[in-house]
Amino acid sequence: MSATIYDVADEAKVSMATVSRVVNGNPNVKPATRKKVLNAIEKLDYRPNAVARGLASKKTTTVGVIIPDISSIFFSELARGIEDIATMYKYNIILCNSDKNKNKEIHLLNTLMEKQVDGILFMGGEITEEHVEHMRSSSIPIVLAATYHEDAEFPSVNIDYAQAAFDAVDYLAKKGHARIGMVTGTLEDPVNGYQKFKGYKQALAENNVPFDESLISVCDYTYDSAIESVQDFVTLENKPTAIFSATDEMALGVIHGLQDRGLRIPDDVEVVGFDNTRLATMVRPTLTTVVQPMYDIGAVSMRLLTKFMDNEMIEEQNVVLPHQIEYRNTTTHQEIVKE
Amino acid sequence: MSATIYDVADEAKVSMATVSRVVNGNPNVKPATRKKVLNAIEKLDYRPNAVARGLASKKTTTVGVIIPDISSIFFSELARGIEDIATMYKYNIILCNSDKNKNKEIHLLNTLMEKQVDGILFMGGEITEEHVEHMRSSSIPIVLAATYHEDAEFPSVNIDYAQAAFDAVDYLAKKGHARIGMVTGTLEDPVNGYQKFKGYKQALAENNVPFDESLISVCDYTYDSAIESVQDFVTLENKPTAIFSATDEMALGVIHGLQDRGLRIPDDVEVVGFDNTRLATMVRPTLTTVVQPMYDIGAVSMRLLTKFMDNEMIEEQNVVLPHQIEYRNTTTHQEIVKE
DNA sequence: CTGAAAGCGCTAACAG
DNA sequence: CTGTTAGCGCTTTCAG
């Protein structure tokens, strides 16, 4: 077994309390004593046991992160923002994939609480009453990242999804498009479905463009599903001349589905994506898309969580980050972006 | 504070040992007693404290994962394989980004050991003598995933990188290409540099194609750096007619760099990538690439780690997974792949 | 500035 | 089948 604080105390001929003090940087130790202890630590290759420390101090310096799918290009970017800030504040991260599955989410919430994490960062789909119950059942701070909750009961970091979608569709409508298609995730998804769809409809309304249900294609967030959706659009009597996609990955599917059928982008159809993942510049033509600052959402939400964990003052617990549209080459009439 | 095992014992009028037994599914408890305890647990909303359990049992059921960059499409896929299997075996994961930085890697190794993780999964660049020292300094099992170590001292899961690169380049050479370019990461990188480069050179040699240094472009793994590398190729007196890229992302850069200059793929230049990330089917033309089973490498390495942690028998501690080439449309003379 | 002592909440013998 | 009793390794008063 490896050395304990007792072994070090013996070796240095001091009490364990003193060893604890030097390990924790407590200034109330005479330099000479500190040195003796440091030598003993070195000699025994002593490493403090964080589990014992956690039990005694009730802090684990670990936070739980519940994320739908770390292999998604969107969430992995978010996760990086989270981890970077966590590291900066000396926290480690327990990462859990939920697939936006309610039972898994609740199970993970409980597991993380059992592990005594100091806080939880939650990314998910819908927040149900049951979620809320479990989240309340412990006093540890929880912040929602890129996850919408009606009641704003929990701290959160988001962009204004409805407004962002509105901006994208409004831009298309103002260019004269009267047939604007939308590729979306399930409408039950508060963010990628409902909020963005709401923005879409409102933009149509404000531009006096009639809403047409046949222009809406509900996909499952994958590239392939979006490719297939093109089939529906293309067989329409009255085809769309522009398409707004709820995510970049689906936008790529739309672009390639269109191109595979000989349509030209942006000449025949203009396309606008959402998120500005790295994918957006890795297609030809490069994708015009709504910028959602993924890394920042992760970073800011983790920072917010540290404030709760360290009992700092919180100015605003529901942060809304700015969004914007990045104009690239799947839309026309803009200065051509060079790659 | 939340309820402890004592509170439950009092409530159920049994001893804490009995509570511990029912919580841990020990069969030596009379059904009636079990029921009493379960009721008390329910009533008090008791949740076992995993930290205390970890201290007493010396098992934390969490494993540390050191990964270069979770936001990379390659590593995030690996991470998903790791997490899925970890979940299956009831382990949680502490995820840490290292950026392949030696000091960070060593620091993380120590932090994870302090946190008493039951095992560590390590993905990185070069394994130096210093790494080895720190890894040995504790008796917890460590397995390397997608990370090459000469001495095979530590258990590992990989594919045969040199052979895989050989296969790709051999295929190109056998098609008659005499000018085959290579886009690579730094040659110091054992996997993405050295091993793949070695395979490349050997394939040239065996096909009597002379090696030409001007055909090698050292990039930094990014899409943009690969786009730039095209400039070097294109200004060559004797341009390459095929390019082998050490990663898919760089292959996309090559493809687009070439296309942006009016070259046609695969007619003017054939391109072969490496990894078969999701990117490979998200380009036009779709990318011919070496399949590295990322998810499986993650899953298998985690499974291997569980065997060490649970003291199961290990047949082979250095696993080499099979690779293959997925023929798509950046190369010719193959059955055309439909999307 | 340093030491003694009481837990933190749980597991794991060991009795009975 | 159930209870008692030591710890696990560290933090944290409280004295001195």
Side-chain angles (χ1 to χ4, degrees):
Chain A
M1 245 30 290
S2 53
T4 74
I5 200 169
Y6 280 106
D7 302 328
V8 176
D10 286 354
E11 176 72 31
K13 308 207 183 308
V14 297
S15 74
M16 57 172 303
T18 301
V19 177
S20 175
R21 287 192 188 94
V22 352
V23 167
N24 294 297
N26 184 319
N28 295 338
V29 181
K30 208 188 339 173
T33 327
R34 177 183 307 280
K35 183 141 194 185
K36 272 198 305 184
V37 173
L38 256 13
N39 285 338
I41 286 177
E42 169 96 356
K43 177 167 175 195
L44 300 180
D45 192 23
Y46 167 72
R47 257 194 225 96
N49 179 324
V51 173
R53 173 180 291 174
L55 183 58
S57 69
K58 303 184 162 316
K59 293 203 40 56
T60 53
T61 62
T62 301
V63 316
V65 174
I66 296 177
I67 203 166
D69 178 12
I70 191 61
S71 72
S72 139
I73 196 162
F74 174 79
F75 288 114
S76 63
E77 185 74 29
L78 252 158
R80 186 53 142 115
I82 292 169
E83 216 268 334
D84 281 356
I85 303 303
T87 299
M88 190 172 299
Y89 285 88
K90 314 274 188 222
Y91 285 96
N92 286 110
I93 257 169
I94 295 185
L95 200 287
C96 313
N97 293 103
S98 71
D99 294 310
K100 292 194 185 180
N101 176 117
K102 177 176 158 185
N103 290 332
K104 279 198 207 174
E105 286 172 346
I106 288 176
H107 175 248
L108 290 171
L109 243 16
N110 286 325
T111 303
L112 291 172
M113 287 169 179
E114 286 186 5
K115 294 224 166 169
Q116 312 298 121
V117 295
D118 295 335
I120 292 179
L121 217 47
F122 185 93
M123 283 154 279
E126 203 186 348
I127 309 273
T128 67
E129 195 44 53
E130 199 175 340
H131 283 90
V132 172
E133 237 170 66
H134 282 265
M135 289 180 175
R136 283 211 204 94
S137 77
S138 146
S139 55
I140 78 168
I142 297 185
V143 352
L144 307 179
T147 300
Y148 188 80
H149 185 221
E150 193 91 42
D151 306 344
E153 170 178 351
F154 296 99
S156 64
V157 179
N158 286 295
I159 63 169
D160 184 336
Y161 294 101
Q163 180 65 46
F166 175 91
D167 292 349
V169 178
D170 183 63
Y171 163 70
L172 256 12
K174 289 241 179 341
K175 293 179 79 172
H177 289 287
R179 303 285 295 166
I180 303 174
M182 175 167 183
V183 173
T184 170
T186 160
L187 263 18
E188 268 83 66
D189 183 324
V191 167
N192 287 312
Y194 185 73
Q195 290 291 318
K196 290 180 185 174
F197 184 55
K198 182 170 142 192
Y200 166 85
K201 279 202 299 194
Q202 181 159 6
L204 293 190
E206 291 199 11
N207 287 277
N208 299 310
V209 175
F211 173 72
D212 177 351
E213 198 166 350
S214 68
L215 254 21
I216 306 298
S217 179
V218 175
C219 298
D220 64 2
Y221 307 117
T222 63
Y223 173 80
D224 289 336
S225 71
I227 285 200
E228 283 169 31
S229 78
V230 169
Q231 184 58 32
D232 302 337
F233 289 139
V234 132
T235 53
L236 244 38
E237 178 83 15
N238 206 345
K239 303 177 185 43
T241 57
I243 294 177
F244 168 58
S245 168
T247 71
D248 284 353
E249 180 160 343
M250 292 196 288
L252 292 221
V254 166
I255 292 168
H256 288 147
L258 256 14
Q259 288 175 336
D260 292 349
R261 286 174 179 78
L263 270 343
R264 287 164 321 148
I265 320 283
D267 310 81
D268 298 325
V269 183
E270 298 195 68
V271 178
V272 177
F274 204 113
D275 287 345
N276 195 35
T277 59
R278 288 183 307 136
L279 255 27
T281 56
M282 289 167 59
V283 229
R284 291 298 180 272
T286 54
L287 181 65
T288 293
T289 191
V290 177
V291 180
Q292 171 168 205
M294 300 163 287
Y295 182 92
D296 294 346
I297 291 180
V300 170
S301 55
M302 184 64 211
R303 177 62 185 111
L304 183 56
L305 186 56
T306 64
K307 287 186 184 171
F308 279 101
M309 296 187 297
D310 302 347
N311 292 309
E312 295 179 36
M313 279 295 295
I314 316 284
E315 322 77 42
E316 172 55 56
Q317 74 156 21
N318 292 104
V319 181
V320 177
L321 259 23
H323 64 268
Q324 77 202 56
I325 297 180
E326 185 74 36
Y327 299 98
R328 296 203 183 88
N329 298 318
T330 52
T331 51
T332 59
H333 302 305
Q334 294 294 142
E335 193 192 331
I336 295 300
V337 179
K338 283 185 288 289
E339 285 309 313
Chain B
M1 247 24 297
S2 51
T4 74
I5 200 170
Y6 279 104
D7 302 327
V8 177
D10 286 353
E11 177 72 28
K13 305 205 184 312
V14 297
S15 75
M16 59 173 305
T18 299
V19 177
S20 176
R21 288 193 187 93
V22 351
V23 167
N24 293 298
N26 185 318
N28 295 339
V29 181
K30 208 188 340 177
T33 328
R34 177 184 307 280
K35 183 141 192 184
K36 271 198 307 186
V37 173
L38 256 15
N39 285 338
I41 286 177
E42 168 96 357
K43 176 166 175 195
L44 301 179
D45 192 23
Y46 168 71
R47 258 195 224 96
N49 180 325
V51 173
R53 172 180 292 173
L55 183 58
S57 70
K58 304 188 162 312
K59 296 206 31 71
T60 54
T61 62
T62 105
V63 317
V65 174
I66 297 178
I67 204 166
D69 178 13
I70 192 60
S71 71
S72 141
I73 195 161
F74 174 79
F75 288 114
S76 61
E77 186 73 28
L78 253 157
R80 186 52 141 114
I82 292 169
E83 216 268 334
D84 281 356
I85 303 303
T87 299
M88 192 172 299
Y89 287 88
K90 314 275 188 221
Y91 286 96
N92 286 110
I93 256 169
I94 296 185
L95 200 286
C96 312
N97 293 104
S98 70
D99 294 311
K100 291 194 185 179
N101 177 116
K102 177 176 157 185
N103 291 332
K104 278 196 207 175
E105 287 171 344
I106 288 176
H107 175 248
L108 290 172
L109 242 18
N110 286 326
T111 303
L112 291 172
M113 287 168 178
E114 287 186 5
K115 294 224 167 171
Q116 312 297 119
V117 294
D118 296 335
I120 292 179
L121 216 46
F122 186 92
M123 282 153 281
E126 204 185 346
I127 309 272
T128 67
E129 195 45 52
E130 199 174 339
H131 284 89
V132 172
E133 239 170 65
H134 283 267
M135 289 180 176
R136 283 212 206 95
S137 76
S138 146
S139 55
I140 79 167
I142 298 186
V143 354
L144 308 179
T147 300
Y148 189 80
H149 185 223
E150 194 89 43
D151 306 342
E153 169 178 352
F154 297 100
S156 64
V157 179
N158 286 295
I159 64 170
D160 185 336
Y161 295 102
Q163 181 64 47
F166 174 91
D167 292 348
V169 178
D170 183 61
Y171 163 70
L172 257 11
K174 290 247 183 323
K175 294 181 76 172
H177 288 287
R179 302 287 295 166
I180 304 175
M182 175 168 183
V183 173
T184 170
T186 161
L187 262 19
E188 268 83 66
D189 184 323
V191 167
N192 287 313
Y194 185 72
Q195 290 290 321
K196 291 180 185 174
F197 184 55
K198 183 170 139 193
Y200 166 85
K201 280 202 298 194
Q202 181 158 5
L204 294 191
E206 291 199 10
N207 286 279
N208 299 310
V209 175
F211 173 72
D212 178 351
E213 197 167 352
S214 68
L215 254 20
I216 306 298
S217 179
V218 176
C219 299
D220 63 3
Y221 308 115
T222 62
Y223 173 81
D224 289 337
S225 70
I227 285 201
E228 283 170 31
S229 78
V230 169
Q231 183 59 32
D232 301 338
F233 289 138
V234 130
T235 53
L236 243 39
E237 178 82 15
N238 207 345
K239 303 176 185 44
T241 57
I243 294 176
F244 168 58
S245 168
T247 70
D248 283 352
E249 179 159 344
M250 291 195 290
L252 291 221
V254 167
I255 291 169
H256 289 148
L258 255 13
Q259 288 175 335
D260 292 350
R261 287 174 178 78
L263 270 343
R264 287 163 324 146
I265 319 284
D267 311 80
D268 298 326
V269 183
E270 298 195 68
V271 178
V272 177
F274 204 114
D275 287 345
N276 195 35
T277 59
R278 289 185 304 135
L279 256 27
T281 55
M282 289 166 62
V283 228
R284 290 298 179 273
T286 54
L287 180 67
T288 293
T289 190
V290 177
V291 180
Q292 172 168 204
M294 299 163 288
Y295 182 92
D296 294 346
I297 292 180
V300 169
S301 56
M302 185 63 211
R303 177 63 184 109
L304 184 56
L305 186 55
T306 64
K307 288 185 185 171
F308 280 101
M309 295 187 298
D310 302 346
N311 291 309
E312 295 179 35
M313 282 293 297
I314 316 284
E315 321 77 44
E316 172 55 55
Q317 75 157 19
N318 292 104
V319 181
V320 177
L321 260 23
H323 64 268
Q324 75 201 57
I325 297 181
E326 185 73 36
Y327 299 98
R328 296 204 184 88
N329 298 318
T330 52
T331 51
T332 59
H333 302 307
Q334 293 296 143
E335 196 192 329
I336 294 302
V337 179
K338 285 186 289 290
E339 285 310 313

